[in-house]
Amino acid sequence: MDHRVLIVLLWTSGFSPGLQTEEHDAFKVIDYIRLVGGSSRCSGDLEAKHQGVWTGVELEWNLKLADVVCRLLDCGSVVRTSLNLTEAFWFSSYCLRSESSLKKCLTERSFTSTYSATTVKIICSDSVRLVNGKSLCSGRLEVKSNQSNQSWSSVCEDDFDLQDAEVVCRELGCGAPSVLQGALYGDMEAPVWTKEFQCGGHESALLDCDSSDSDRNTSSPGKAAGLTCSELHNVRLVGESSRCAGELEMKQQGYWRPVDDRKSDWNLKTADEVCRKLDCGSAVSTGGRESDFDKRTWRISSTCLQSKSAVRECILTDSDTSSSNLEIKCSESVRLVNGKSLCSGRLEVKSNQSWSSVCEDDFDLQDAEVVCRVLGCGAPSVLQGALYGDVEAPVWTKEFQCGGHESALLDCDSSDSDRNTCSPGKAVGLTCSEPDDVRLLGGSSRCDGTLEMKQHGEWRPVIDLDSQWDQKSAAAVCNRLDCGSAVSTNISTSSSLKSVWWIQPSCVASYSMLRECLRLPSDTIGYDSLEVICSDILAQPNISFATFIDGVSEANQQGIQVLMGSSFTISCSILPQYPGGSFQLILTTSATSQNHTLPAVNHSAHFLFSAAEPAHRGEYRCVYHLYVFSYNFSSESQPLHLTVSASVTDLIIRLVVLLVLMVLMVGSNAAVYCYCKAPRGQKPRREDNMELDHLGGAGDLLGEEAGAQGTE
Ligand SMILES: *[C@@H]1O[C@H](CO)[C@@H](O)[C@H](O)[C@H]1NC(C)=O
Ligand SMILES: *[C@@H]1O[C@H](CO)[C@@H](O)[C@H](O)[C@H]1NC(C)=O
Ligand SMILES: *[C@@H]1O[C@H](CO)[C@@H](O)[C@H](O)[C@H]1NC(C)=O
Ligand SMILES: *[C@@H]1O[C@H](CO)[C@@H](O)[C@H](O)[C@H]1NC(C)=O
Ligand SMILES: *[C@@H]1O[C@H](CO)[C@@H](O)[C@H](O)[C@H]1NC(C)=O
């Protein structure tokens, strides 16, 4: 049987194609992998030697890994790849990490099964490469001599101009040169190229260009030619009237194809990278769109795109035809930059292909409403100058006058503000609230239950995509819902089939914006739901005051005033969420803090004070404590301020006032009647009576009078 090696590359964000060569090891890469069938040893089908036999190699392919092969073979950098369908073997991306891991893969029999797969053809640049750059299209230029020595030489800036750079960028499969600068990507390393390039600009390879002897043996420091070619992003949105919305297509190996959304770990964050690459603002929404089955698609690595690499480096491989392809809607002419999520940042507006900052004086809350809506976010929550960095030129010269209901900022009326500059600290910084798209369902409060999210208008349960859901992911949910911290989270199996959304916990952990980490699209499956319990599951308790002498105490701005010596009750209550629990009444005076606890009966507790005295003056708070889900929860009420009117004169004045009132209203007023029927010291109602027993039994922490005095 034809032994073929299939290398399956599992793209991991931590992977970098840097090679660690081990010099003491006699292992020679070229004895184990090769490119065959091309015009030189630097192009052709990738083969590896397995058990003494040269075999085809398949990779779940992307350009960066092909580049590793080129560099391993000392063949410059990758220019392009193509794929054929054949039978092949299997090994992992680990194999290409270093020469020693390659050796390990090829000598140990770790890859065995053959099946139909796509082998890869690689074309390397052979005699030109850029090293030390941030992508395949940038770095310090090195040229490999034709002579027997075959070593790489640095090129001196003086021997290399923009026309030469054009040839290099084209030869490497990149866009036009954008920066050419000495020592941009590190300085000269010996040996130095001894000729001056004289390209016309249209040659297909640098070594095809004319050159003249420069007799250079050394080059002054800071002169190593550093070159940045522009990236050919090869990405577009099609099918809508605007170039900033529609079905995503990418070009690789000369073909524009849609992107298979089922096989790409796609999310809003990645869509946002595409919008920014297309200079189309930020991503508003993304999802799958039903498609014809007859088109072949690309499959891309979302993780790769998020690390801001060039799009062409992130296409993994072509996949079969797909029933659903990705589409994206970008904000087009408005964006928030420098923010923590897609819903916050410094406002910029685009006109005539360039982005302008907006000055705070030209922008108000109604304008902000339009921006937040256009970006797919919730209502504006903070609008403040320089919150996300200061004005950058140019400055928008009109004052926005939105009504608030326009569907695009540039549809709003505006008047000339004749502004050319904007004072420092005035750049519009806007925080829109996150859209209302997360909830916990089925618990006894909004802060516990099964996680559901809304996308494209539909609420669905959320399930864990990469089995990494943990407390940290749950914390992002609690934080998002303003529910405090995460107490616990749990994955519970549900037997029913449902349409779900997938979420990537790894994305949530590093980025914590749930909406931007939903993987698209969704599926209908039996699912394991994510249950989250946050710390703030309890409602806020109420605190209230009652005295047996109605009308004597009074509430004012300073709080409640109670007559010295009168009895009063402070009641704590809470919505009936869970049975049981206890209330703690905390009294803070200027000098000290005291507290007393009663069990909650019917979700409330009544603390009786049989005679008010100066020590009762202070701030009262109820704290409800509950042990549930193996955790102690608590929730605190608003404070209640109590003053005790101390003087006898005060009492006399009040009694006089009451008597006057009685005279005025005699025989007809219910309030007065009640007052007369409820004199001081009357036996409290039944429930008060019962709780007084508790109070007394637990010890007098609130003062000696707060005991069982009220009982008969
Ligand atoms: C070959 O290149 C190396 C540097 O990589 C240098 O030390 C050596 O002298 C060169 N040999 C010849 C024959 O040019
Ligand atoms: C708390 O007080 C408010 C206003 O007086 C009332 O509407 C609410 O029902 C009370 N809640 C509880 C749990 O007693
Ligand atoms: C409640 O009182 C106890 C005993 O006096 C004290 O140890 C505790 O710190 C108090 N708690 C609060 C919240 O004041
Ligand atoms: C609790 O409330 C219910 C109905 O509201 C009442 O029947 C019951 O007597 C109350 N229990 C106590 C101990 O007050
Ligand atoms: C909850 O509170 C009780 C009483 O304060 C304490 O005994 C218990 O250890 C606490 N449990 C946890 C899990 O913190």
Side-chain angles (χ1 to χ4, degrees):
M1 179 195 281
D2 190 17
H3 284 224
R4 290 179 181 269
V5 181
L6 164 66
I7 304 177
V8 170
L9 294 167
L10 302 168
W11 183 266
T12 56
S13 49
F15 177 79
S16 102
L19 299 174
Q20 307 118 31
T21 24
E22 287 167 27
E23 284 172 22
H24 56 274
D25 197 329
F27 173 79
K28 278 221 192 70
V29 167
I30 52 166
D31 293 339
Y32 292 90
I33 57 172
R34 66 180 185 190
L35 298 174
V36 293
S39 56
S40 76
R41 57 173 280 277
C42 289
S43 69
D45 292 323
L46 177 60
E47 288 191 347
K49 201 172 187 175
H50 176 52
Q51 295 172 342
V53 184
W54 285 102
T55 66
V57 170
E58 202 240 328
L59 300 157
E60 188 175 300
W61 201 240
N62 68 57
L63 212 54
K64 266 195 178 155
L65 284 154
D67 189 57
V68 177
V69 172
C70 290
R71 287 177 201 259
L72 280 169
L73 291 171
D74 199 27
C75 278
S77 63
V78 70
V79 175
R80 61 179 188 275
T81 66
S82 64
L83 310 157
N84 331 303
L85 203 66
T86 75
E87 281 214 322
F89 264 104
W90 218 75
F91 68 62
S92 111
S93 61
Y94 161 80
C95 301
L96 285 178
R97 287 201 170 187
S98 68
E99 293 188 2
S100 60
S101 56
L102 183 65
K103 178 184 179 187
K104 198 157 176 259
C105 288
L106 292 167
T107 51
E108 287 171 10
R109 301 173 52 196
S110 54
F111 46 101
T112 44
S113 59
T114 58
Y115 58 88
S116 181
T118 326
T119 55
V120 67
K121 181 186 196 116
I122 301 177
I123 291 121
C124 307
S125 60
D126 197 353
S127 57
V128 168
R129 69 183 182 188
L130 297 175
V131 295
N132 240 341
K134 285 198 269 327
S135 78
L136 294 177
C137 292
S138 64
R140 181 167 51 75
L141 178 65
E142 288 192 349
V143 180
K144 192 161 74 178
S145 62
N146 281 349
Q147 297 125 26
S148 55
N149 204 335
Q150 291 275 310
S151 66
W152 291 95
S153 307
S154 303
V155 175
C156 186
E157 211 185 359
D158 301 332
D159 297 337
F160 191 80
D161 66 10
L162 200 65
Q163 275 175 317
D164 307 329
E166 265 162 31
V167 174
V168 170
C169 289
R170 182 157 2 92
E171 190 175 356
L172 294 174
C174 303
S178 59
V179 186
L180 174 58
Q181 189 188 318
L184 188 59
Y185 298 102
D187 214 340
M188 281 311 218
E189 279 173 23
V192 176
W193 191 251
T194 55
K195 293 196 170 146
E196 180 177 344
F197 291 104
Q198 290 167 338
C199 302
H202 300 285
E203 294 84 351
S204 60
L206 186 64
L207 293 184
D208 291 349
C209 294
D210 285 340
S211 63
S212 63
D213 266 335
S214 68
D215 286 331
R216 200 177 299 282
N217 283 320
T218 59
S219 171
S220 12
K223 288 282 196 177
L227 176 61
T228 310
C229 309
S230 55
E231 297 288 347
L232 286 174
H233 284 311
N234 291 345
V235 50
R236 67 185 182 191
L237 300 174
V238 298
E240 304 268 325
S241 54
S242 150
R243 57 175 281 275
C244 292
E247 189 173 83
L248 176 66
E249 286 194 349
M250 292 187 174
K251 189 175 165 189
Q252 184 78 316
Q253 300 166 20
Y255 302 107
W256 282 104
R257 289 181 185 168
V259 177
D260 184 342
D261 69 350
R262 274 164 211 278
K263 295 194 186 130
S264 302
D265 49 347
W266 196 258
N267 58 35
L268 192 61
K269 184 106 184 83
T270 326
D272 189 56
E273 289 304 329
V274 172
C275 290
R276 288 179 200 262
K277 285 188 165 108
L278 288 170
D279 199 28
C280 278
S282 61
V284 174
S285 66
T286 184
R289 178 192 278 181
E290 296 289 304
S291 67
D292 314 335
F293 268 101
D294 56 1
K295 271 198 200 161
R296 288 188 74 82
T297 54
W298 294 119
R299 193 159 94 67
I300 70 157
S301 163
S302 190
T303 326
C304 169
L305 269 185
Q306 279 175 30
S307 66
K308 300 202 196 289
S309 306
V311 173
R312 72 180 190 124
E313 293 175 31
C314 296
I315 294 182
L316 291 177
T317 179
D318 69 344
S319 80
D320 290 339
T321 57
S322 144
S323 61
S324 172
N325 297 328
L326 283 170
E327 62 179 357
I328 299 178
K329 185 172 181 229
C330 308
S331 61
E332 192 159 0
S333 56
V334 169
R335 68 182 182 190
L336 297 176
V337 295
N338 240 342
K340 285 195 272 322
S341 81
L342 294 181
C343 292
S344 64
R346 182 167 51 76
L347 178 65
E348 288 193 349
V349 179
K350 187 171 160 189
S351 79
N352 286 337
Q353 312 304 321
S354 79
W355 293 93
S356 308
S357 301
V358 177
C359 196
E360 214 185 357
D361 302 331
D362 297 337
F363 192 82
D364 67 10
L365 200 64
Q366 275 176 318
D367 307 329
E369 265 162 31
V370 175
V371 170
C372 290
R373 192 174 47 252
V374 165
L375 295 175
C377 304
S381 60
V382 187
L383 174 59
Q384 190 188 318
L387 190 58
Y388 298 102
D390 215 337
V391 173
E392 280 174 21
V395 175
W396 191 252
T397 56
K398 295 196 169 146
E399 181 176 344
F400 290 103
Q401 292 168 338
C402 302
H405 299 285
E406 292 84 353
S407 58
L409 186 62
L410 295 184
D411 290 351
C412 293
D413 285 339
S414 63
S415 63
D416 266 333
S417 69
D418 285 331
R419 200 178 298 283
N420 284 318
T421 57
C422 181
S423 8
K426 288 281 197 176
V428 170
L430 177 61
T431 311
C432 308
S433 52
E434 292 294 319
D436 174 27
D437 60 0
V438 180
R439 67 183 180 190
L440 293 174
L441 216 64
S444 49
S445 79
R446 50 178 287 280
C447 295
D448 69 312
T450 303
L451 179 62
E452 290 202 346
M453 287 184 68
K454 186 160 87 175
Q455 278 287 311
H456 308 297
E458 221 180 304
W459 286 103
R460 295 180 181 176
V462 172
I463 66 167
D464 177 5
L465 180 65
D466 45 20
S467 304
Q468 286 179 20
W469 186 264
D470 59 8
Q471 191 94 353
K472 210 172 158 191
S473 325
V477 173
C478 295
N479 182 43
R480 171 72 181 69
L481 291 171
D482 201 14
C483 279
S485 56
V487 167
S488 73
T489 187
N490 179 24
I491 297 173
S492 91
T493 307
S494 152
S495 52
S496 61
L497 283 179
K498 257 196 167 170
S499 292
V500 299
W501 300 120
W502 297 83
I503 201 159
Q504 285 167 295
S506 46
C507 169
V508 176
S510 63
Y511 188 61
S512 85
M513 285 297 151
L514 298 167
R515 169 172 95 104
E516 294 163 34
C517 296
L518 272 197
R519 193 203 106 151
L520 297 154
S522 61
D523 293 300
T524 299
I525 51 160
Y527 70 103
D528 294 336
S529 58
L530 302 175
E531 277 162 16
V532 176
I533 297 168
C534 310
S535 60
D536 293 357
I537 56 170
L538 298 177
Q540 189 181 38
N542 271 0
I543 185 164
S544 63
F545 169 89
T547 174
F548 298 114
I549 312 170
D550 295 303
V552 172
S553 69
E554 56 188 39
N556 58 26
Q557 266 128 356
Q558 281 75 51
I560 285 166
Q561 207 169 59
V562 64
L563 191 63
M564 174 93 139
S566 63
S567 67
F568 63 95
T569 305
I570 290 180
S571 302
C572 302
S573 63
I574 191 160
L575 287 173
Q577 288 177 287
Y578 305 89
S582 62
F583 284 100
Q584 184 182 32
L585 184 67
I586 302 177
L587 163 60
T588 314
T589 65
S590 48
T592 162
S593 168
Q594 310 169 50
N595 66 79
H596 191 76
T597 299
L598 284 181
V601 177
N602 274 1
H603 312 289
S604 58
H606 307 278
F607 296 85
L608 181 99
F609 298 79
S610 51
E613 60 163 61
H616 292 147
R617 175 199 170 96
E619 183 186 273
Y620 291 79
R621 279 168 300 137
C622 293
V623 183
Y624 180 63
H625 295 278
L626 178 71
Y627 181 78
V628 67
F629 305 127
S630 319
Y631 190 81
N632 284 324
F633 293 88
S634 67
S635 169
E636 191 176 301
S637 71
Q638 294 289 327
L640 181 141
H641 299 274
L642 192 82
T643 52
V644 178
S645 56
S647 74
V648 175
T649 349
D650 191 36
L651 177 64
I652 291 165
I653 292 167
R654 280 157 191 277
L655 282 174
V656 169
V657 170
L658 273 168
L659 284 170
V660 171
L661 276 172
M662 280 175 78
V663 170
L664 286 175
M665 302 169 171
V666 69
S668 62
N669 189 286
V672 175
Y673 180 75
C674 287
Y675 169 73
C676 296
K677 293 273 284 177
R680 243 186 98 191
Q682 191 217 29
K683 175 186 160 187
R685 285 155 298 169
R686 182 79 204 111
E687 65 196 72
D688 295 329
N689 196 3
M690 190 192 70
E691 277 139 20
L692 280 174
D693 292 340
H694 288 302
L695 192 52
D700 282 342
L701 291 170
L702 287 167
E704 285 166 301
E705 308 81 348
Q709 220 180 62
T711 49
E712 287 185 334

